Amino acid sequence: MAPNHSNEENSHNSLPCPILRVEDYDIHPKTGFLPPNPPLTRLPDLYYSPWEQVIDSYHDLMLAGRLGESINMLPILETDHLKSIPEYRRAFLILSILAHGFVWGKYEAVRDVLPACIAIPWVKVSNVLEIAPICNHAAVVLWNWRLIFPDAPFDLKYDVFAMEIYYLPVNNSIDIRNNFLPFFESNLATLITFTNTSDEGWFYLVTTTIEAIGGRALNAIILALEAVRDRDNFKLMSALMVICSAMKDINETLQRMFDKCDPYIFYWKVRPYLSGWENEDRLPKGLIYEGVDQPDEYGNPVYRQYAGGSAGQSALIQAIDIALNVEHYPTGVKTGITNNKVFSSEVKEHTREEPNGNCYAASSINSLSNASSCYHLRIQNHQQQLEFEKMSSNASNNNKPQQPYLHKIRQNIPGPHRRFLEDLAKIANIRQYILTRTKFPLDDKVQGLDDDDLVKAYNDCLNEMKNFRNKHLQIVSTYIVIQSHRGGGHFHTKNPYLAKCPVSTITHNTTTNIPITAINNNSTTNTMSTCVSVTHLKTKDARITSKTITNGSDLDLKGTGGTNLMPFLKQMRDETIAKEIGS
Ligand code: HEM
C-alpha cells in the first residue's frame, strides 16, 4: 500500500490524514524498527536443515578449521521454500554468518570466492529484503535476538544495581534478591554470533535494546509532524519531550556497552568478522559471488564490493536526525549555524577543530562553495535563520543525505525502513515551523506555553543527540582507537598475506597498555620510565597505517564503511550542535 503523505495544506481538511503511517514501513508503534515478536530461531521447513546444521556446529567447525570444508559441501538450495518475511530474515542472518565465517575464517587464509551454495541464495534473499548481500546491522541486531523467558518482558535491565545488592549484609540481601532481583536481570539473548563470546552477544543486545527504545521516538516524530500540520503547539511540545526522553534512555543504554563487552575482544576477535569487502586491504578487489555474476567481457570473474556491518547502519539515528533537520556533509566540509551565526567553510582534511572554536559567517549562498570566504553577518532573529537555511538547502539541490557514508549505508537498510527515511525527509519541517512561530497564539498562553518553550524542547532533543554522539565517540575511542594501538590480536597468524606484513615498534604504558603517544602527545618523557617497548604486528586487518603507529594519531583509522573515523564522527557531532536555535 502506498504511504499516505500529507502536508500543511491538509490541515484545513475536516478529517486530517495521518502524516505517515509507520505500519506502511514495517515499523512497529512500540518497538520501532525492531520486529515486535522475537525473530525465528530456526527455519521451519526441513528443506533448510543443511544450513541450520552448519549453524548448530558453527563454532566447533570454526575451531577445528573445518567450517570452509562444511560450507563447500552444502547443496545449492532454492529460496522458494521460504514463506514469510521472518523466514527470509532468518535465512539472511544464517547466510551472512556463514559467508563472513567462510571468507575470514579463523587462523586461516582469507578466501576471495564465495561458493555458489551461499552466494546464490544470499543474493536472492537480499533482493527480497531489499538489502545488499553483506552482513549488516539489521541481520545481527534487529533479527538476531530471543527472550530467555518467553513470557517475561523484553528487557536489558540495569543489573549493576542488582550487583550492589550482593554487597549488602547477607540477611538483608536474601530478601531483597528474592523480591526484586528478577526486575534487574536481562531477559535477552542473541541467536547467532561469530565468536561464541558473551562480549559479542552484549555488543548486539545493547544495540537491539536501543532500537527498541527508539520505537517511542519514531512514534513521537509522527505525532510532532501531525502537531506541526495542525499547528498544535502543546502536542508538539509533548512529542519533542518524548523524543528527548527516548534519547536520554538510549544514551544510558549506550553507556552500558562497557558493562559486558570487552574492548579487546570486540576489536581483535569480533570486529574482523563484521568486515566487508570494500576498501578492505585483505580483499582489495572485493569478493567473487560464485554462480551469481557472469564473467566480464574478457572472461574475468566479477568482484563485488560492499561495506561490512556497523551500528552506523541504524535507521533510527538517521530518522531522528532527519526529523530534527540535522544535516550532514562530506567529512571536511562544514556548513551550518551556531549561536545565531552562519558559518560555511571547507576545512582541510584532518582539521579537527574549528579555529577559535567559533563559526564563520557567509553573506550569500554563493559563499557556500567558497572555501576562503569569511563574512560577519550576524543572524538577528529566527526569520533570518530560516531564510538562510532555505537558501542553503536550495543550493545543495536537496540532494540528501550529502554525507557519502550515510548515503552508501542506505543499501544496508531494509527496503521499507529506507523508504521511511526518504519519505520522512520530504516532509520533516519541525525546525522550520519552530523558527517561524516564535510568538505563540493566545491558546498556547492559556495552556501555559511560553514563547521559548518550543525552542527549548527542540534544543533539548538536539542536546541529547549531541550527548549520544559524544558518548559514541568515547566508545569508538576505547573500542577501536586505543585497541588498534594495543596490538596482540592474532586473527590470521597463519595467513600468508599477513606473514609478509612489516613489523613496527611502539612504546606502551605497562599498566594501561595504551601507547604513550595516545595518552599525551606532548609529555611522553615523564612516563617513559614506566614503559617497555613491545613489538607490534602492523596488521592490515587492524586497519593501522604506518602513520598511526609512528605518530600515535587516530587520523588514519578507518571505520567499517571506510570512513575517516574520528574526523567523520566529530563532524557528525558538530553538525548536530550547529542546529541549535539561538534564543
Ligand atoms: C562497541 C561499540 C561501537 C563501536 C566500536 C562503534 C563504531 C562505529 C564506527 C567505526 C562508526 C563509523 C562508521 C563506520 O565506518 O562504520 C560508527 C558510526 C555510527 N555508529 Fe557506532 N559503534 C558502536 C556502537 C554503536 C551503537 C550501540 C550505536 C547505536 C545505534 C551506534 C550508532 C552509530 C551511528 C548512528 C553511526 C553513524 C555516525 C553518527 O550518526 O554519528 N554505534 N560506529
Side-chain angles (χ1 to χ4, degrees):
M1 179 178 163
N4 202 351
H5 298 153
S6 80
N7 51 29
E8 286 200 30
E9 280 81 63
N10 294 107
S11 62
H12 303 298
N13 296 343
S14 50
L15 275 179
C17 321
I19 286 269
L20 291 177
R21 286 162 29 107
V22 287
E23 298 85 345
D24 294 337
Y25 301 92
D26 197 14
I27 298 171
H28 189 267
K30 283 202 173 133
T31 55
F33 294 115
L34 202 67
N37 298 316
L40 292 177
T41 53
R42 225 171 167 85
L43 287 169
D45 197 320
L46 291 180
Y47 175 75
Y48 295 107
S49 53
W51 291 353
E52 293 283 8
Q53 279 162 10
V54 179
I55 287 291
D56 286 342
S57 313
Y58 188 80
H59 303 112
D60 296 338
L61 292 169
M62 184 83 101
L63 187 61
R66 305 187 68 171
L67 181 68
E69 175 193 325
S70 308
I71 288 177
N72 274 323
M73 281 158 48
L74 284 172
I76 302 177
L77 299 180
E78 296 298 334
T79 53
D80 49 11
H81 294 251
L82 298 169
K83 298 291 180 229
S84 64
I85 289 296
E87 289 181 28
Y88 275 96
R89 289 174 180 161
R90 169 83 186 162
F92 186 85
L93 172 64
I94 291 175
L95 292 165
S96 301
I97 301 282
L98 293 180
H100 284 240
F102 181 88
V103 169
W104 300 127
K106 192 175 176 73
Y107 306 113
E108 293 165 70
V110 172
R111 298 181 172 95
D112 68 354
V113 182
L114 188 65
C117 59
I118 301 293
I120 293 176
W122 201 19
V123 169
K124 284 187 186 166
V125 169
S126 304
N127 288 341
V128 172
L129 297 173
E130 302 175 79
I131 37 183
I134 185 87
C135 184
N136 63 19
H137 168 80
V140 291
V141 168
L142 302 182
W143 309 332
N144 189 24
W145 55 276
R146 69 181 173 89
L147 298 176
I148 298 170
F149 299 102
D151 297 332
F154 178 103
D155 239 324
L156 192 74
K157 283 288 186 196
Y158 200 69
D159 64 348
V160 168
F161 185 57
M163 278 163 61
E164 282 169 7
I165 292 173
Y166 283 94
Y167 295 101
L168 290 173
V170 175
N171 288 347
N172 282 345
S173 66
I174 289 174
D175 237 20
I176 294 174
R177 271 191 223 159
N178 287 346
N179 288 322
F180 295 106
L181 204 54
F183 294 105
F184 301 113
E185 285 174 343
S186 165
N187 191 29
L188 290 178
T190 36
L191 298 178
I192 315 181
T193 59
F194 289 107
T195 58
N196 208 15
T197 58
S198 54
D199 307 79
E200 183 181 353
W202 191 251
F203 170 62
Y204 299 148
L205 292 177
V206 166
T207 322
T208 306
T209 308
I210 286 175
E211 290 288 348
I213 297 169
R216 244 158 72 206
L218 294 178
N219 236 2
I221 287 172
I222 306 298
L223 290 179
L225 292 171
E226 282 172 6
V228 168
R229 178 198 59 197
D230 302 340
R231 297 181 157 73
D232 183 340
N233 293 332
F234 195 74
K235 184 171 166 184
L236 178 56
M237 270 282 297
S238 320
L240 288 172
M241 284 162 75
V242 173
I243 296 173
C244 182
S245 99
M247 276 311 300
K248 275 191 180 137
D249 290 350
I250 285 173
N251 292 343
E252 273 176 23
T253 308
L254 184 64
Q255 182 70 21
R256 299 201 53 208
M257 189 61 78
F258 294 102
D259 290 358
K260 296 181 185 173
C261 180
D262 182 311
Y264 175 89
I265 295 185
F266 171 81
Y267 185 81
W268 290 103
K269 305 292 174 191
V270 178
R271 191 171 186 247
Y273 286 109
L274 292 166
S275 300
W277 18 96
E278 182 179 86
N279 294 318
E280 171 53 62
D281 293 340
R282 291 171 296 169
L283 286 174
K285 288 201 268 183
L287 185 73
I288 298 169
Y289 285 59
E290 192 183 64
V292 174
D293 302 305
Q294 296 297 323
D296 68 13
E297 52 190 311
Y298 306 107
N300 298 321
V302 169
Y303 287 82
R304 288 184 176 218
Q305 299 198 342
Y306 299 111
S310 160
Q313 294 160 352
S314 163
L316 174 65
I317 304 299
Q318 285 209 33
I320 300 175
D321 266 347
I322 293 170
L324 299 175
N325 301 104
V326 174
E327 290 169 351
H328 298 291
Y329 297 87
T331 309
V333 174
K334 297 192 177 186
T335 182
I337 295 176
T338 52
N339 302 328
N340 279 1
K341 292 178 198 166
V342 181
F343 72 79
S344 163
S345 65
E346 209 171 284
V347 290
K348 280 193 190 137
E349 218 184 359
H350 296 167
T351 300
R352 289 187 289 174
E353 300 297 338
E354 290 171 33
N356 311 324
N358 221 326
C359 59
Y360 303 93
S363 68
S364 80
I365 203 64
N366 293 336
S367 60
L368 278 173
S369 56
N370 183 348
S372 58
S373 298
C374 183
Y375 304 87
H376 293 279
L377 170 76
R378 262 192 94 82
I379 295 291
Q380 300 294 351
N381 55 38
H382 294 161
Q383 195 56 41
Q384 275 188 18
Q385 197 163 346
L386 182 65
E387 287 307 315
F388 177 79
E389 287 184 17
K390 277 186 186 159
M391 285 195 299
S392 321
S393 181
N394 291 341
S396 57
N397 287 334
N398 277 332
N399 189 16
K400 296 166 188 168
Q402 295 158 328
Q403 166 36 259
Y405 171 80
L406 296 183
H407 182 72
K408 195 168 62 180
I409 58 165
R410 291 267 169 110
Q411 67 172 338
N412 305 105
I413 296 178
H417 299 171
R418 187 167 61 235
R419 278 189 287 283
F420 176 74
L421 296 180
E422 288 160 4
D423 289 347
L424 182 64
K426 288 179 201 151
I427 59 166
N429 57 357
I430 297 171
R431 177 181 172 78
Q432 190 178 339
Y433 176 78
I434 295 176
L435 284 171
T436 45
R437 288 182 65 84
T438 47
K439 292 283 172 219
F440 283 17
L442 190 62
D443 283 359
D444 294 320
K445 299 271 183 215
V446 173
Q447 294 188 69
L449 282 181
D450 267 337
D451 286 353
D452 286 337
D453 283 350
L454 268 188
V455 171
K456 181 176 177 312
Y458 172 84
N459 283 346
D460 285 349
C461 292
L462 282 184
N463 203 37
E464 287 307 325
M465 281 296 269
K466 177 198 76 183
N467 291 344
F468 171 83
R469 294 204 152 104
N470 272 336
K471 258 184 217 307
H472 183 262
L473 270 162
Q474 277 172 14
I475 288 185
V476 172
S477 169
T478 309
Y479 282 79
I480 297 183
V481 178
I482 292 175
Q483 295 309 312
S484 73
H485 291 291
R486 252 183 93 165
H490 299 290
F491 191 68
H492 286 129
T493 43
K494 283 192 184 166
N495 180 341
Y497 170 74
L498 285 177
K500 285 189 224 142
C501 283
V503 168
S504 144
T505 303
I506 192 164
T507 309
H508 283 229
N509 179 301
T510 43
T511 43
T512 61
N513 205 18
I514 298 170
I516 292 306
T517 44
I519 297 171
N520 184 345
N521 279 331
N522 303 323
S523 60
T524 51
T525 43
N526 291 345
T527 40
M528 278 303 247
S529 55
T530 63
C531 302
V532 288
S533 256
V534 296
T535 306
H536 184 97
L537 241 195
K538 185 182 154 195
T539 54
K540 287 209 170 186
D541 61 338
R543 293 153 194 258
I544 305 168
T545 66
S546 55
K547 190 171 173 193
T548 313
I549 292 200
T550 51
N551 296 349
S553 157
D554 56 22
L555 293 178
D556 285 348
L557 275 174
K558 298 281 182 219
T560 336
T563 55
N564 218 356
L565 196 49
M566 297 311 262
F568 161 72
L569 292 174
K570 284 177 180 167
Q571 185 173 319
M572 297 283 284
R573 189 248 343 250
D574 294 345
E575 286 160 345
T576 312
I577 307 167
K579 283 290 177 177
E580 192 176 44
I581 301 177
S583 51

